[in-house]
């Protein structure tokens, strides 16, 4: 037989426990965290029948420096590869080898130019660069 | 046996039973009941960084890309057959530190999903993941991470997306 005082003590414990668990003010803590993402519209730069550009890039390679856009090839065009971690987010390069005819570069490019990567002005094609390596320079916003 | 006699016997029996009950009751006074209490510090939760997926270019083909911020290295990755791409930007998972009573175990909870909105009608549903379901205050497991993933396709509206989700830690 349960002794009355133990019954009372048990009931008291239950009541205290109920009170404790019903007031979890310090037993839980919550906060709201921010999440973010930025999605950009793709702008395409398609190299088609630009003879000087094709000649420039026919046998050269595109110097690696960084990437912020994708490059997709068509037909027999070799698709340039990618490198990550661009050094300058405002002037980024795509890297790889191959013909650029029919190649489409998708990204937020404001302008695309060709040069040897050494002090070339945007929009100027330079066939006599010091390195002999042709680069496609894409300016991004 | 008449009714009065039966009643008398019944009362006598009841009285006999009541005596031992009282005897037992009086005996318990010599055995004091133990009481105890443990007071712990309130649990706290500190956000060390938010969940940042960074910048990306949505695909132009008909396929989908999945953007993921894992809870391992917290790096952003793009997968899928879409031709979208990541843009160099700051990204990372949300990180937290739970505080309170050292050695006290706690559980972690968060919603399975939350929405990012671009403020222009565009909404992205993010699936959340976390590095652990529980931890212990004062130990390395008091630090935990929350990552997530979402899909983009060519119809995903462009823009800067933001949103919020709740994370809760509770003493176990």
């Amino acid at each position: 037989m349960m002794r009355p005082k133990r019954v009372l003590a048990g009931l008291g414990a239950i009541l205290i426990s109920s009170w404790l668990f019903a007031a979890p003010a310090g037993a839980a803590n919550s906060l709201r965290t921010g999440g973010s993402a930025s999605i950009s519209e793709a702008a395409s730069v398609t190299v088609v029948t630009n003879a000087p550009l094709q000649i420039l890039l026919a046998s050269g390679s595109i110097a690696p420096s960084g990437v912020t856009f994708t490059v997709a090839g068509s037909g027999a065009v070799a698709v340039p590869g990618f490198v990550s971690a661009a050094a300058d987010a405002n002037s980024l390069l795509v890297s790889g080898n191959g013909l650029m005819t029919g190649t489409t570069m998708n990204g937020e490019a404001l302008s695309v130019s060709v040069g040897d990567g050494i002090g070339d002005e945007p929009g100027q094609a330079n066939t006599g660069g010091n390195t002999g390596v042709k680069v496609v320079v894409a300016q991004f916003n | 046996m008449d009714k009065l006699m039966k009643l008398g016997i019944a009362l006598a029996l009841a009285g006999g039973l009541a005596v031992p009950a009282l005897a037992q009751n009086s005996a318990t006074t010599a055995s004091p009941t133990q009481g105890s209490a443990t007071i712990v510090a309130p649990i706290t939760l500190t956000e060390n960084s938010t969940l940042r997926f960074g910048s990306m270019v949505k695909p132009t083909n008909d396929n989908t890309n999945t953007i993921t911020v894992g809870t391992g290295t917290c790096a952003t990755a793009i997968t899928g057959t879409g031709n979208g791409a990541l843009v160099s930007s700051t990204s990372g998972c949300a990180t937290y530190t739970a505080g309170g009573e050292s050695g006290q175990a706690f559980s972690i909870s968060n919603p399975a999903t939350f929405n990012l909105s671009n403020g222009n009608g565009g909404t992205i549903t993010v699936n959340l993941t976390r590095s652990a379901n529980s931890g212990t205050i004062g130990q390395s497991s008091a630090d935990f991470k929350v990552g997530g993933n979402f899909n983009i396709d060519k119809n995903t509206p462009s823009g800067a997306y933001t949103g919020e989700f709740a994370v809760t830690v509770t003493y176990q």
Side-chain angles (χ1 to χ4, degrees):
Chain A
M1 181 182 292
M2 183 74 75
R3 298 181 180 183
K5 281 200 173 180
R6 291 190 177 177
V7 171
L8 288 175
L11 286 173
I14 291 171
L15 288 173
I16 291 172
S17 298
S18 301
W19 175 74
L20 285 173
F21 287 109
N29 207 320
S30 182
L31 56 77
R32 296 190 69 79
T33 289
S36 63
S38 178
I39 299 176
S40 302
E41 198 76 35
S44 295
V45 179
T46 302
V47 182
V48 282
T49 55
N50 186 327
L53 189 58
Q54 291 173 30
I55 293 171
L56 282 172
L57 299 173
S59 58
S61 62
I62 305 170
S65 178
V67 64
T68 60
F69 54 88
T70 59
V71 179
S74 62
V77 175
V79 179
F82 301 97
V83 292
S84 60
D88 182 357
N90 295 317
S91 180
L92 302 169
L93 306 178
V94 65
S95 70
N97 299 311
L99 300 172
M100 294 294 289
T101 304
T103 297
T104 299
M105 295 174 287
N106 294 316
E108 283 193 300
L110 297 180
S111 66
V112 176
S113 61
V114 179
D116 62 5
I118 302 176
D120 289 318
E121 294 296 326
Q124 290 184 337
N126 186 343
T127 59
N130 295 329
T131 64
V133 176
K134 308 301 182 290
V135 299
V136 174
V137 181
Q139 289 291 135
F140 289 80
N141 58 8
Chain B
M1 195 178 296
D2 60 27
K3 290 182 179 178
L4 283 177
M5 184 172 291
K6 287 180 181 178
L7 180 59
I9 292 172
L11 288 174
L13 286 173
L17 290 174
V19 170
L22 289 173
Q24 286 179 346
N25 193 26
S26 62
T28 59
T29 58
S31 176
T33 299
Q34 297 295 316
S36 65
T38 301
I39 298 173
V40 298
I43 193 168
T44 62
L45 181 60
T46 302
E47 175 196 272
N48 303 313
S49 61
T50 59
L51 178 57
R52 296 142 297 153
F53 288 95
S55 299
M56 62 224 63
V57 178
K58 65 182 181 181
T60 56
N61 61 15
D62 292 333
N63 300 322
T64 299
N65 286 118
T66 299
I67 310 298
T68 302
V69 171
T71 56
T73 62
C74 286
T76 303
I78 183 169
T79 56
T81 53
N83 62 350
L86 297 177
V87 177
S88 295
S89 57
T90 301
S91 61
C93 56
T95 60
Y96 307 88
T97 300
E101 191 71 23
S102 182
Q104 185 74 34
F106 66 91
S107 61
I108 307 164
S109 63
N110 59 262
T113 63
F114 81 107
N115 287 336
L116 291 174
S117 301
N118 66 356
N120 198 25
T123 300
I124 296 172
T125 299
V126 177
N127 303 302
L128 289 173
T129 58
R130 63 173 177 264
S131 59
N133 295 323
S134 61
T136 303
I137 303 296
Q139 299 183 8
S140 60
S141 60
D143 297 317
F144 62 93
K145 308 169 187 174
V146 172
N149 64 77
F150 61 87
N151 294 331
I152 57 172
D153 58 33
K154 67 180 182 182
N155 296 317
T156 304
S158 302
Y161 287 76
T162 58
E164 282 187 348
F165 59 93
V167 174
T168 302
V169 290
T170 306
Y171 277 147
Q172 291 181 322

